Amino acid sequence: MRKIGVLTSGGDAPGMNAAIRAVVRKSIYEGVEVYGVFQGYQGLVTDNIHKLELGDVGDIIQRGGTKLYSARCPEFIEPAVRQKAIENLKAKGIDSLVVIGGDGSYRGAQRLDEEGIKTIGVPGTIDNDINGTDYTIGFDTALNTIIDAVDRIRDTATSHERTFIIEVMGRDAGDLALWAGVAGGAETILIPESPSDMKEVAERIESGMSRGKKHSIIVVAEGVMSASQCADELHKYINVDTRESVLGHMQRGGKPTGQDRVLASRLGAFAVDLLLDGVHGKAVGTENNKLSATRFDKVFEESHMIDEGLYRLSRELSI
Ligand code: F6P
């Protein structure tokens, strides 16, 4: 009988549990045994691998985090460490693995695939920075969490006529900042993909003030600078009352939205379908709402691009 493994790796994302559930249930539906690898790649190396049954993934579709735990495992770059992982899988007769995670997790999956374990990647990260899919699992939930925070901050920003600087996650990618900024009506959005000109930001705030606008919201991705650095930079050009809010890891938690649950369910099941059809070495996604699979090397070929049109729109709407 075929045996498939599943793990989550890297930063967790709401909807990962729904993806695990889909992999497990679809495998069992197809008559395949399925094994959960706990603690990501680390669990592969330490042999923290356990058979999962239908009931093991009951009551998790609505939960944030990951039932399989997640860990970063930098030593997985070492061939000898991967060899140990492969031996552990083979000892249990597992020849295929579904890796739910982001870019770093995909790199481990690609290596394993080249070394004899058939792998499929499922995009799970709040950052939405993976090529080969329009959206990653967790992005929509994190986005809505940020929007809720921005709305609340706007209330108090308006009452006190202050400029608020809200720092959101996104070490290398600005999707969360951009989308949340647009949806939250932020006056300024600072993202790693576009140079930040704080003089221009100050001028925009000033021009708003000259029209009677007394408050302003700046959404800054952590990869650009911290909220406090942003305040310091701003004060070089303008004397405004500022407050900073760092949203931090609350952005990674919480109940997944319907959108994320459905995406995770579709992609988890599709990953199993592909493995059973003999397809591997690819990452799944949805492109124009259709399921798609892209070779890992293609996924890595270019760095993730921001939606330029949305960025332009954000500037047009926040004059
Ligand atoms: O990769 C997702 C992400 O949320 C980034 O946006 C963030 O910079 C990073 O994880 C933080 O991860 P951790 O604190 O878990 O190392």
Side-chain angles (χ1 to χ4, degrees), residues 19 22-23 97-102 106 109 119-125 128-137 262-277 279-287 290-296 298-299:
V23 171
L97 185 67
V98 177
V99 172
I100 306 166
Y106 277 14
T119 63
I120 290 286
V122 174
T125 165
N128 205 40
D129 60 346
I130 310 263
N131 291 331
T133 189
D134 293 336
Y135 300 105
T136 57
I137 298 164
V262 172
L263 180 66
S265 301
R266 290 176 78 194
L267 295 185
F270 186 45
V272 174
D273 269 337
L274 291 180
L275 286 171
L276 296 183
D277 284 348
V279 179
H280 58 95
K282 292 187 172 187
V284 294
T286 56
E287 294 175 287
K290 293 214 166 29
L291 291 168
S292 66
T294 310
R295 281 206 335 260
F296 284 128
K298 226 34 208 131
V299 171

Side-chain angles (χ1 to χ4, degrees), residues 6-8 17 20 36-40 52 66-70:
V6 55
L7 63 80
T8 50
N17 274 328
I20 296 166
V37 181
F38 290 73
Q39 298 166 318
L52 296 175
T66 160
K67 190 186 165 87
L68 292 178
Y69 302 95
S70 192

